[in-house]
Amino acid sequence: MTGPEGRDLPDTSASRVGAVCGVVLAAGAGSRYGMPKILAHQGQWLAIAVRALRDGGCDEVVVAMGASTVEPPGGASVLHVDDWATGLSATVRAAAGWVAQRRDPAAMVLHVVDTPDVGPEVTGRVVDAAQRRRDVVARAVFDGRPGHPVYIGSDHLDPLGAHLQGDVGAGRYLATVAGLRTVECGDLATGRDRDLPD
């Protein structure tokens, strides 16, 4: 949009792109790992996950915490999940609720704390593929294997909630999305979850 003298003016139209909100899912107790993964490697995994979102195109980043609460890395805030012990669905539900309260959100980008080789390049590729759209769902795949991060446009937040139950996160809903965009990132990372101690 251009004003007098050819100067660009701010876009105030209803189609303006909103914020992409990144969420690190880190509320669990990490029973197989032997400790909450939010504490793994003296918090290095958490710092890596926050950086992957913050430097990969997310405008705001929050860390969902439950079993253990820590000071979040720079550039992130805390989302307390009181009912985290009921399963992963509680954390994803809390994350979706937090995003829905943001002003004009474009999307929620879910990431996990236990994929330390996933960096900002992966998040950036997923966000770019989704074009920061509200009606798009996209996820990183690694040599064809589904992984994180997952981009969920804000149009999908309400229907996502109907699929959240027990220890299942967004996966059940993603399986219903006909236009799900898969974004190959196997050239950037393995994307493998670290479920057992090193």
Side-chain angles (χ1 to χ4, degrees):
M1 182 175 177
T2 338
E5 303 171 7
R7 282 190 235 168
D8 288 335
L9 296 177
D11 183 0
T12 57
S13 68
S15 63
R16 177 172 51 86
V17 174
V20 172
C21 305
V23 182
V24 179
L25 304 174
S31 54
R32 290 179 62 195
Y33 190 76
M35 63 187 288
K37 294 179 185 176
I38 197 172
L39 305 174
H41 292 261
Q42 294 76 48
Q44 289 180 13
W45 283 9
L46 176 60
I48 290 168
V50 166
R51 179 175 170 268
L53 294 175
R54 186 192 65 216
D55 297 349
C58 294
D59 303 297
E60 190 173 359
V61 178
V62 70
V63 180
M65 303 184 190
S68 185
T69 302
V70 301
E71 187 71 23
S77 56
V78 175
L79 173 64
H80 293 285
V81 183
D82 295 332
D83 57 346
W84 64 270
T86 63
L88 179 57
S89 62
T91 304
V92 177
R93 187 178 297 108
W98 174 81
V99 172
Q101 292 172 8
R102 304 343 288 155
R103 184 183 175 199
D104 190 32
M108 167 173 73
V109 179
L110 298 178
H111 192 31
V112 289
V113 72
D114 61 351
T115 55
D117 73 337
V118 172
E121 300 82 7
V122 173
T123 305
R125 186 176 288 180
V126 173
V127 171
D128 286 349
Q131 300 173 299
R132 301 177 72 94
R133 286 173 48 171
R134 293 174 171 82
D135 60 344
V136 168
V137 177
R139 82 175 308 167
V141 299
F142 302 89
D143 296 326
R145 180 179 48 81
H148 288 84
V150 176
Y151 177 106
I152 302 174
S154 59
D155 290 354
H156 294 265
L157 294 181
D158 284 343
L160 167 66
H163 290 79
L164 296 174
Q165 187 176 11
D167 204 30
V168 178
R172 185 177 288 144
Y173 177 67
L174 297 182
T176 72
V177 178
L180 173 69
R181 298 183 183 183
T182 56
V183 185
E184 181 56 60
C185 297
D187 59 319
L188 300 175
T190 69
R192 295 199 176 278
D193 296 344
R194 305 286 185 87
D195 285 332
L196 301 174
D198 298 336

